[in-house]
Amino acid sequence: MEMEVDTLTSKAQSQRSISDINHILEFAKLEPADFRSQVQCLYFSEQLENDAIKLMELEGPLQGALQAGERVEIRGDPSDGAVVVTETQTFDVKEAETSNSMLMISSLSFGPDIPSEGDQGIVKREVSSIVHNYYELRPIKPRLTKLRVLLSENPFRGSECEGDELDTGRKYTFPELQQRVQASDAEIRTGLAMMNTCELNGYWRLLDFEFTATVLYHILQLCEERDWLQNGVNMAECLQVLGDLFPLEVIKHVVRSHSKNDPDNEMSDADNIYNLCEDKVCKHFAELCLKNSGKFNLNDFLRAWQESVPDGMKTSLSQIEGMALIDSDARPPVIWYYSVDLLPEDVGERGIDDSAKTAPISPDSVQNGLGVAFFPTIQIERNMLTLSM
């Protein structure tokens, strides 16, 4: 194609005339009267910029997001496979090839835009690029493993531990997580909630498990003293009593994260009353028993677990689904800690040899070294997204 383009000199282009066009129509046995008066002649630029344009085939939700003016980004570290995110969804990016040559033209008139009457005229249109590849986008689950990895660099272990010899990991604000985590903003916030994180001084932090256990222990002690297990935790009073021991935001977070998620509890928020959730509290004590114990005799665990929870609460194996494995064929049956968070996010990758995977497309290869996450020019036409670099 490039050799043919080179043969189209500006001299040859200037010789194209109405008579030439009518001759072509006559050769094709077509009547000029059957066509509109304006003729658009396509010419190839003498300097084609084939790498200046990237095309993406759009799914309905992504096209709707762009047309609605939503923010759309390419996210990930250079070593990650590229993803495109809207405000609420994440899309995987795969390169595809077409046997057709797609011609990129900055301007082209269609139908009603072309005069139907008047003298015949010629409008020159220049082809600036020829594209054979495009990116396919498909919705995927958010890639939140990195979110946990980043937040695990520096879990919060208490105010007195900030700045000590173990406080060497990095802390992350939400904008910093946006740059690193391959998920939409809404999915990142959902992930932060699922991971039971807490925002402290502008940074999102995982709470160290042993530190969380200490905070919850003091809260439960207060509940037993003031009969809050039945009547609900008085948040204002709890903060007043424990505020000298722990940061107020941490106390609020631990109480809320172990409370019921129901309309009644939301209504009680105005009165600073939170009803603790039996399942969440029991799950915490199960993790406390299993986390560093290795394989545990199932019957011994069930007995120790029930004895560890507050009076009046009843344990059930359904409370620890996704947190432990049970070998019922062992004699005696055993249980051990194994969180679902340890499994790969992609179900298809579980048990698959890494050598069989296709190398992913990096964010840099899509952005073409722009160093920014936003598309400089966006144009939607026939379900294709044009990125002008």
Side-chain angles (χ1 to χ4, degrees):
M1 180 59 69
E2 291 182 358
M3 292 180 64
E4 295 177 9
V5 170
D6 291 339
T7 63
L8 296 176
T9 63
S10 58
K11 181 179 179 181
Q13 293 178 14
S14 64
Q15 294 176 351
R16 187 63 61 104
S17 63
I18 292 295
S19 61
D20 294 331
I21 295 169
N22 289 334
H23 179 71
I24 295 173
L25 292 176
E26 181 181 356
F27 184 78
K29 298 181 179 181
L30 298 173
E31 293 295 331
D34 294 334
F35 295 88
R36 292 179 180 267
S37 59
Q38 185 184 87
V39 178
Q40 299 177 88
C41 294
L42 307 185
Y43 298 99
F44 292 97
S45 171
E46 294 183 356
Q47 294 182 339
L48 290 174
E49 298 179 347
N50 294 340
D51 294 330
I53 297 292
K54 305 290 185 183
L55 295 181
M56 285 186 175
E57 186 176 28
L58 300 180
E59 295 287 343
L62 183 55
Q63 180 174 340
L66 287 168
Q67 291 174 325
E70 292 184 17
R71 178 173 178 170
V72 177
E73 298 180 67
I74 298 171
R75 285 186 179 172
D77 289 334
S79 59
D80 294 329
V83 300
V84 170
V85 302
T86 64
E87 295 178 2
T88 58
Q89 284 186 283
T90 304
F91 298 84
D92 193 23
V93 181
K94 297 294 183 184
E95 189 171 18
E97 186 175 353
T98 175
S99 58
N100 297 322
S101 297
M102 293 181 282
L103 307 182
M104 300 296 107
I105 303 171
S106 60
S107 177
L108 195 65
S109 299
F110 295 92
D113 299 329
I114 302 175
S116 58
E117 298 179 353
D119 296 334
Q120 282 186 312
I122 296 177
V123 177
K124 295 181 180 179
R125 305 295 189 189
E126 185 177 75
V127 176
S128 60
S129 304
I130 304 174
V131 179
H132 299 93
N133 299 316
Y134 65 96
Y135 293 116
E136 293 179 329
L137 303 180
R138 61 180 180 88
I140 59 171
K141 292 181 178 180
R143 298 173 178 173
L144 296 176
T145 297
K146 179 170 285 187
L147 179 61
R148 183 176 293 276
V149 170
L150 295 175
L151 296 178
S152 297
E153 292 179 11
N154 194 342
F156 185 75
R157 297 175 291 114
S159 300
E160 67 280 2
C161 298
E162 296 288 279
D164 66 9
E165 65 278 3
L166 298 179
D167 183 30
T168 57
R170 180 177 174 180
K171 298 188 283 284
Y172 294 90
T173 63
F174 190 79
E176 290 171 333
L177 293 174
Q178 286 176 301
Q179 296 175 11
R180 304 285 304 277
V181 179
Q182 294 187 298
S184 68
D185 291 356
E187 291 166 333
I188 292 175
R189 293 190 184 281
T190 300
L192 290 171
M194 291 177 60
M195 295 176 192
N196 203 18
T197 61
C198 182
E199 187 176 15
L200 299 171
N201 300 319
Y203 296 99
W204 285 92
R205 311 287 296 277
L206 281 175
L207 299 185
D208 177 76
F209 179 73
E210 293 183 2
F211 172 72
T212 302
T214 301
V215 177
L216 185 59
Y217 170 79
H218 282 79
I219 292 171
L220 293 175
Q221 287 288 101
L222 202 56
C223 288
E224 292 182 1
E225 294 174 6
R226 316 214 173 179
D227 200 24
W228 286 347
L229 290 176
Q230 298 296 327
N231 302 323
V233 177
N234 186 310
M235 181 68 84
E237 191 172 341
C238 185
L239 293 174
Q240 183 178 5
V241 174
L242 301 180
D244 291 337
L245 299 177
F246 311 108
L248 298 183
E249 286 302 319
V250 171
I251 300 171
K252 292 179 185 178
H253 174 77
V254 174
V255 171
R256 289 169 178 162
S257 62
H258 290 85
S259 297
K260 296 178 181 178
N261 295 325
D262 57 40
D264 291 339
N265 209 54
E266 293 178 7
M267 291 174 62
S268 68
D269 183 45
D271 300 322
N272 288 314
I273 303 299
Y274 287 80
N275 298 306
L276 293 181
C277 176
E278 181 180 74
D279 288 347
K280 293 179 180 179
V281 173
C282 289
K283 181 178 181 179
H284 166 81
F285 280 97
E287 187 171 0
L288 198 61
C289 292
L290 291 173
K291 200 170 182 69
N292 299 309
S293 300
K295 291 190 176 181
F296 205 131
N297 181 296
L298 180 59
N299 290 329
D300 291 345
F301 162 73
L302 293 174
R303 183 171 55 254
W305 182 24
Q306 181 60 57
E307 292 174 353
S308 67
V309 301
D311 292 340
M313 291 191 175
K314 186 172 179 59
T315 60
S316 169
L317 286 176
S318 63
Q319 296 166 341
I320 58 173
E321 289 181 357
M323 194 187 76
L325 294 178
I326 295 175
D327 185 357
S328 301
D329 294 331
R331 292 292 178 267
V334 293
I335 184 172
W336 66 97
Y337 179 82
Y338 192 91
S339 174
V340 69
D341 296 329
L342 301 175
L343 296 172
E345 289 176 328
D346 188 345
V347 176
E349 292 182 358
R350 298 174 185 178
I352 295 179
D353 185 3
D354 287 341
S355 63
K357 298 176 186 176
T358 304
I361 301 170
S362 70
D364 283 347
S365 68
V366 178
Q367 296 186 45
N368 199 25
L370 284 177
V372 296
F374 300 104
F375 304 143
T377 302
I378 297 179
Q379 179 179 351
I380 299 176
E381 184 66 39
R382 296 182 182 178
N383 294 332
M384 294 297 287
L385 171 66
T386 302
L387 311 184
S388 300
M389 303 304 185

